[in-house]
Amino acid sequence: MRIPIAEAGRHAGETVEIAGWLYNLRRSGKIVFPLLRDGSGVLQCVAVKSALPEETFETLKNLTQESSLVVRGKLRAEQRAPGGYEMDVESAEVVQRVAEDTPYPITPKDHGIDFLMDHRHLWLRSRRQHAVLRVRHEIIRAIRDYFDSNGFTLVDTPIFTPAACEGTTTLFPVQYFEDETLYLTQSGQLYNEATAMAFGKVYCFGPTFRAEKSKTRRHLTEFWMVEPEMAYATLEDVKRVAEELVVFIIGRVLENRRPELAVLERDVSKLEAAKAPFPRISYDQAVKILQAKGSEIQWGGDLGGTDETLLAEDYSSPVMVDRYPAQVKAFYFQPDAERPELALGVDVLAPEGYGELIGGGQRIHDYDLLVRRIREHDLPPEAFNWYLDLRRYGSVPHGGFGMGVERTVAWMCGLDHVRETIAFPRMLYRTRP
Amino acid sequence: MRIPIAEAGRHAGETVEIAGWLYNLRRSGKIVFPLLRDGSGVLQCVAVKSALPEETFETLKNLTQESSLVVRGKLRAEQRAPGGYEMDVESAEVVQRVAEDTPYPITPKDHGIDFLMDHRHLWLRSRRQHAVLRVRHEIIRAIRDYFDSNGFTLVDTPIFTPAACEGTTTLFPVQYFEDETLYLTQSGQLYNEATAMAFGKVYCFGPTFRAEKSKTRRHLTEFWMVEPEMAYATLEDVKRVAEELVVFIIGRVLENRRPELAVLERDVSKLEAAKAPFPRISYDQAVKILQAKGSEIQWGGDLGGTDETLLAEDYSSPVMVDRYPAQVKAFYFQPDAERPELALGVDVLAPEGYGELIGGGQRIHDYDLLVRRIREHDLPPEAFNWYLDLRRYGSVPHGGFGMGVERTVAWMCGLDHVRETIAFPRMLYRTRP
């Protein structure tokens, strides 16, 4: 019976078949130890010369890294083996042998990052990359499960967007047949506001695109973002849901992905320490704290990456910063009732210098104010006609946020660059493979 | 206490608050019946003149469609009411009243499809569109749950793809900063083949793009597709998983979305009739059946939309057609061992004329054969260098398929056009709102 390595524990004492690839090979005289991977796990096999036909033993002994093979044998508990089980090989069949003269390019020696990125289609087979992408899958599942079980309807928003709503400088243009230029979405928010008025609570979750010429460890040109939006909601509701979501994700990752975090040598105590209630500070307070720490920020300016790191370092949980100056936020932010120069926005900053995980807030629901803001921001009013309809027909206070998947993965995995958080990263100078 | 309408059943006899929109209003002398929607459901309210302050009663009596309001009152079971509960209104507060001189544009009268599509951001509030998108959400959840609980790892593939692998005629070009042209993905398959060699069983699930100048009821330029890929798999494995997935989705929709199917007046017996094992026929057989039915198809040609409908009409379950002539399939299909002129591909055709739900098959795993096919198809070999690596380093038989979300939704909901299966459809002449 063929089984995945992940299920070895259920078949101890049985003779089974595993189909996989040679991950590593140790030789010790008349015994060889092929380490097999099959995508679900890694299994150490034991091939003893005296117990096998000579051809089989020689084949295994000389097998090249990443050759594909099917082995049969009895499974046995072995505490010292990775995964806790070993197989005593009874027979083996090589599916494709990697040729000696074109060996697998990724060897245990150190490779430069460009080499690894050029071989990303193979690099994904390594334990470390494997672990990162499994944590990513867990995070995505957790996000969907959170919203699906809390009354949100998934309503995906379009990738092709007609209007260049907030200027075209960071938008990617697409030639849409002969005579139209469209742009790739940067955010589903405006559409979410429409669907929130139809469904009450919604989320969209898909790829988004930013043509930023940033070559930092936090930027990709193509990244995945989840964006919830809620009708009849205020900034406080937005903060509550953001906090609940992050706590839920951490819980799931700690519950299901400890082996992967161990492969990544992640200090899990840092994740365990992130607990609700998250610290909440205002932008005013943030500026004072930053100035006391030597930042050159002045009231009215946006927080830079270094500021975010400086602020977050005082806390073991993500910190929520709210009520930014309206001038640093987009046109659609609801102003604070008592201090209209402030926008009812909130950013959630990850600990350990991972920066902004979440940005959101309460949107303007008043038609006249929104029209005024569109004018003040020099935006083309005709592009917003449909968006203004949402304030003509049953407008209500509402809000939501966006959370970037890659930064969340980077934080949970403790990675120093987002390029490893997605299978095939797209950056300023990286578009292949 | 504020509750969503969907939870009214748990609060019968209690005084609660509902925040929503006026969906409809009936007047009957000294009683008015505002029908409230809040995105989670629809609730009939009963406002009795003698029981309310005059101002409240007059406000409700003259309220305009889609005005937003919060009502408070006691919930009472009422079999004749939609949803089974009614509220006796004790107080009400209008959040935003839709002005009489700019009434809500979508009225109970018939509107043309262009008018409705131009007002898609509002049309989504209607019961029918609401029901379709809830079924869509259910289908997407079912797809993810199926793969997540069957050992598949989600590894999303890039939207930005460098090579124009199968010709550029149906690809959308993107200007990537100053000096590069990229294309929007049509399929994650080639990347899936890389990740399947790393994870064994994978799936990607995201938007895909086709610049087809088709103006049919089955085509969108932007649509969502799920694509599983499995290492150590044959055409038979692909067929088994495709069948299991479709059966799983139908089960979930029937289990959780009967009220929505009722709104859509869907004949659910048609869905209940779709059961495993699905009929399996070969392309050879399909051609004979079609010729007997009067189709002009000749052996060697691809099935047209009409052929698909003709074939499917004999079955109550989706029908699987396999082993197509290699010449109508892409370069990467594994040839049939006994008849190499046939490709080991399979299409799954939905009943009732909904066309191809799934297309897939087994891929070529032999390096030399793949190189030959790339040459025969006049494809640029340098663009496939990384893809050929997968045949250099531990190649194994493998396969997978793609399933389009929108056609699946159209079939399950019984819709006659895919444009209603997605919140903001993108078509040849439709890019707004």
Side-chain angles (χ1 to χ4, degrees):
Chain A
M1 184 180 55
R2 186 173 293 186
I3 64 157
I5 291 172
E7 291 174 13
R10 284 193 241 155
H11 298 276
E14 294 174 29
T15 295
V16 299
E17 183 178 285
I18 308 261
W21 294 266
L22 186 71
Y23 195 58
N24 206 344
L25 185 71
R26 271 194 312 119
R27 297 181 190 85
S28 174
K30 292 174 178 171
I31 308 183
V32 297
F33 301 94
L35 195 64
L36 219 67
R37 66 165 193 87
D38 76 343
S40 81
V42 168
L43 181 72
Q44 176 154 295
C45 301
V46 183
V48 180
K49 186 170 182 174
S50 59
L52 289 168
E54 188 170 338
E55 202 192 318
T56 304
F57 184 77
E58 289 301 315
T59 299
L60 287 176
K61 188 175 162 189
N62 297 304
L63 204 55
T64 43
Q65 194 191 347
E66 283 301 320
S67 290
S68 44
L69 72 164
V70 178
V71 295
R72 275 164 229 88
K74 195 180 273 188
L75 289 173
R76 173 169 47 73
E78 169 55 68
Q79 290 200 339
R80 292 166 301 176
Y85 295 88
E86 267 186 1
M87 174 188 273
D88 292 315
V89 178
E90 292 166 16
S91 71
E93 177 200 331
V94 174
V95 180
Q96 192 237 347
R97 187 171 190 281
V98 175
E100 245 103 18
D101 56 346
T102 55
Y104 188 68
I106 301 176
T107 60
K109 74 163 190 175
D110 270 353
H111 297 282
I113 184 68
D114 282 336
F115 179 88
L116 291 169
M117 277 291 167
D118 287 342
H119 293 84
R120 185 68 175 164
H121 54 293
L122 303 176
W123 190 25
L124 295 173
R125 301 181 185 185
S126 79
R127 279 184 85 191
R128 209 181 136 75
Q129 298 307 311
H130 215 267
V132 172
L133 291 185
R134 279 189 187 277
V135 172
R136 178 188 170 98
H137 184 190
E138 190 72 41
I139 288 170
I140 291 174
R141 278 181 71 175
I143 290 169
R144 292 186 179 270
D145 285 348
Y146 173 79
F147 288 113
D148 290 348
S149 54
N150 281 282
F152 287 76
T153 301
L154 172 72
V155 188
D156 283 310
T157 53
I159 307 296
F160 285 142
T161 53
C165 293
E166 301 179 43
T168 57
T169 51
T170 60
L171 288 169
F172 286 109
V174 181
Q175 185 64 41
Y176 195 76
F177 301 106
E178 282 79 21
D179 48 6
E180 195 168 0
T181 298
L182 295 179
Y183 299 93
L184 298 181
T185 182
Q186 285 199 325
S187 159
Q189 184 203 313
L190 304 195
Y191 291 98
N192 272 345
E193 291 182 58
T195 62
M197 299 305 142
F199 290 88
K201 299 200 282 184
V202 296
Y203 70 105
C204 66
F205 194 176
T208 49
F209 304 87
R210 291 213 186 150
E212 283 180 302
K213 289 201 170 173
S214 303
K215 209 177 161 246
T216 81
R217 62 194 180 85
R218 293 180 186 171
H219 283 89
L220 297 169
T221 54
E222 173 185 326
F223 58 99
W224 284 66
M225 187 156 67
V226 61
E227 295 176 271
E229 189 77 24
M230 300 173 280
Y232 286 101
T234 64
L235 176 62
E236 290 310 307
D237 296 312
V238 171
K239 285 156 75 175
R240 180 182 47 77
V241 170
E243 182 181 75
E244 275 183 21
L245 173 64
V246 173
V247 167
F248 186 82
I249 295 170
I250 295 174
R252 278 288 190 85
V253 169
L254 289 174
E255 190 180 327
N256 298 326
R257 295 295 161 196
R258 284 191 186 254
E260 285 78 7
L261 296 176
V263 167
L264 297 168
E265 297 174 338
R266 178 64 167 132
D267 179 354
V268 291
S269 72
K270 302 271 192 191
L271 297 178
E272 288 162 341
K275 286 191 173 136
F278 295 167
R280 286 155 158 83
I281 61 175
S282 68
Y283 170 87
D284 287 353
Q285 291 171 294
V287 169
K288 280 186 199 145
I289 294 168
L290 287 169
Q291 285 172 341
K293 286 177 177 246
S295 165
E296 295 187 350
I297 191 170
Q298 296 296 319
W299 197 100
D302 206 356
L303 303 187
T306 312
D307 293 323
E308 290 175 354
T309 302
L310 276 176
L311 262 187
E313 72 183 6
D314 293 343
Y315 308 100
S316 54
S317 293
V319 54
M320 296 183 158
V321 184
D322 75 359
R323 293 178 160 76
Y324 285 74
Q327 68 220 47
V328 302
K329 290 287 178 189
F331 70 95
Y332 46 68
F333 276 91
Q334 174 74 7
D336 187 295
E338 284 161 31
R339 289 176 58 197
E341 73 278 17
L342 298 183
L344 292 182
V346 61
D347 287 348
V348 182
L349 310 179
E352 303 173 72
Y354 284 97
E356 184 191 319
L357 291 180
I358 286 176
Q362 188 176 330
R363 329 300 187 183
I364 292 173
H365 58 278
D366 181 71
Y367 178 87
D368 294 326
L369 177 57
L370 187 58
V371 168
R372 202 156 69 234
R373 284 290 154 82
I374 287 171
R375 282 206 202 102
E376 285 167 8
H377 284 251
D378 273 332
L379 297 167
E382 64 283 1
F384 293 94
N385 213 9
W386 72 267
Y387 184 63
L388 286 165
D389 272 356
L390 308 176
R391 280 70 181 176
R392 289 184 186 105
Y393 307 116
S395 190
V396 301
H398 63 287
F401 62 84
M403 182 172 87
V405 167
E406 285 74 18
R407 286 197 190 170
T408 307
V409 176
W411 167 43
M412 303 238 170
C413 291
L415 305 178
D416 59 8
H417 198 299
V418 290
R419 66 188 159 213
E420 293 183 38
T421 62
I422 188 166
F424 297 95
R426 297 296 182 241
M427 294 176 284
L428 184 51
Y429 299 115
R430 167 64 60 190
T431 58
R432 303 142 212 258
Chain B
M1 184 179 54
R2 185 173 293 187
I3 63 158
I5 291 172
E7 291 174 14
R10 285 193 239 155
H11 298 275
E14 294 175 29
T15 295
V16 299
E17 183 177 286
I18 307 261
W21 295 265
L22 187 71
Y23 194 58
N24 207 342
L25 185 71
R26 269 193 313 120
R27 296 180 191 85
S28 174
K30 292 175 178 174
I31 309 184
V32 296
F33 301 94
L35 196 63
L36 218 67
R37 63 165 194 88
D38 75 345
S40 81
V42 168
L43 180 72
Q44 176 155 296
C45 301
V46 183
V48 180
K49 185 169 183 174
S50 59
L52 289 169
E54 187 170 340
E55 202 191 318
T56 303
F57 184 79
E58 289 301 315
T59 299
L60 287 176
K61 187 175 162 191
N62 297 304
L63 204 54
T64 43
Q65 194 190 346
E66 284 301 320
S67 290
S68 44
L69 72 163
V70 178
V71 295
R72 275 164 229 88
K74 195 180 273 189
L75 289 172
R76 173 170 45 73
E78 170 54 69
Q79 290 200 339
R80 292 166 302 176
Y85 294 88
E86 268 186 1
M87 174 188 272
D88 292 315
V89 177
E90 292 166 15
S91 70
E93 177 200 330
V94 174
V95 180
Q96 192 237 347
R97 187 172 191 281
V98 175
E100 245 103 19
D101 56 347
T102 57
Y104 188 67
I106 302 176
T107 59
K109 74 162 189 176
D110 272 352
H111 297 283
I113 185 67
D114 282 336
F115 179 87
L116 291 169
M117 277 290 167
D118 287 342
H119 292 84
R120 185 67 176 164
H121 54 292
L122 303 176
W123 190 24
L124 295 173
R125 301 181 185 185
S126 79
R127 278 184 86 190
R128 209 181 135 77
Q129 298 308 311
H130 214 266
V132 172
L133 291 185
R134 280 189 185 276
V135 172
R136 179 188 171 98
H137 184 190
E138 190 72 41
I139 288 171
I140 291 174
R141 278 182 71 177
I143 290 169
R144 292 188 178 269
D145 286 348
Y146 174 81
F147 288 114
D148 290 347
S149 55
N150 280 282
F152 288 75
T153 301
L154 172 72
V155 188
D156 282 309
T157 53
I159 306 297
F160 285 143
T161 53
C165 292
E166 302 178 41
T168 56
T169 50
T170 60
L171 288 169
F172 286 110
V174 182
Q175 184 64 42
Y176 195 76
F177 300 107
E178 282 79 21
D179 47 7
E180 195 169 359
T181 298
L182 295 178
Y183 299 92
L184 298 181
T185 183
Q186 285 200 325
S187 159
Q189 184 202 313
L190 304 195
Y191 291 99
N192 272 345
E193 291 183 58
T195 61
M197 299 305 142
F199 290 88
K201 298 200 284 185
V202 297
Y203 71 105
C204 67
F205 194 175
T208 49
F209 305 86
R210 291 213 185 148
E212 283 181 302
K213 289 201 170 172
S214 303
K215 209 177 159 246
T216 81
R217 62 195 180 84
R218 293 180 186 171
H219 284 89
L220 298 168
T221 55
E222 174 186 326
F223 58 99
W224 284 66
M225 186 156 68
V226 61
E227 295 176 90
E229 189 76 24
M230 301 173 279
Y232 285 101
T234 63
L235 176 62
E236 290 309 307
D237 296 312
V238 170
K239 284 155 78 175
R240 179 182 47 77
V241 171
E243 182 181 74
E244 276 183 21
L245 173 64
V246 173
V247 167
F248 186 82
I249 295 170
I250 294 174
R252 278 288 188 84
V253 169
L254 289 174
E255 190 180 327
N256 298 326
R257 294 296 162 197
R258 283 191 187 254
E260 285 78 6
L261 295 176
V263 167
L264 297 167
E265 297 173 337
R266 177 63 167 134
D267 179 354
V268 290
S269 72
K270 302 272 193 190
L271 297 178
E272 287 163 341
K275 284 192 173 133
F278 293 167
R280 286 156 158 81
I281 61 174
S282 68
Y283 171 86
D284 287 354
Q285 291 172 295
V287 170
K288 280 186 198 142
I289 294 168
L290 287 169
Q291 285 172 342
K293 285 177 178 245
S295 164
E296 297 187 347
I297 191 170
Q298 296 296 318
W299 197 100
D302 206 355
L303 303 187
T306 312
D307 293 323
E308 291 175 355
T309 302
L310 275 176
L311 262 187
E313 72 183 5
D314 293 342
Y315 308 101
S316 55
S317 293
V319 54
M320 295 183 158
V321 184
D322 74 358
R323 293 178 160 76
Y324 284 74
Q327 70 220 45
V328 301
K329 289 290 178 188
F331 71 94
Y332 46 69
F333 276 91
Q334 174 73 9
D336 186 295
E338 284 161 30
R339 289 175 60 195
E341 73 277 17
L342 298 183
L344 292 181
V346 62
D347 287 348
V348 182
L349 310 179
E352 302 173 71
Y354 284 97
E356 183 191 321
L357 290 180
I358 286 177
Q362 188 176 329
R363 329 300 187 183
I364 291 173
H365 58 277
D366 181 72
Y367 179 87
D368 294 326
L369 177 58
L370 187 59
V371 168
R372 203 156 68 233
R373 283 291 154 82
I374 287 172
R375 282 207 203 102
E376 284 166 8
H377 283 251
D378 272 332
L379 297 166
E382 64 283 2
F384 293 94
N385 212 11
W386 71 266
Y387 184 63
L388 285 166
D389 272 356
L390 308 176
R391 279 71 180 177
R392 289 184 186 106
Y393 306 116
S395 189
V396 301
H398 63 286
F401 62 83
M403 182 171 87
V405 167
E406 285 73 18
R407 286 197 190 169
T408 307
V409 176
W411 167 43
M412 303 239 170
C413 290
L415 305 177
D416 60 8
H417 198 298
V418 290
R419 67 188 159 214
E420 292 183 39
T421 62
I422 189 166
F424 297 95
R426 297 297 182 240
M427 294 176 284
L428 184 51
Y429 300 115
R430 167 64 60 191
T431 58
R432 286 141 222 268

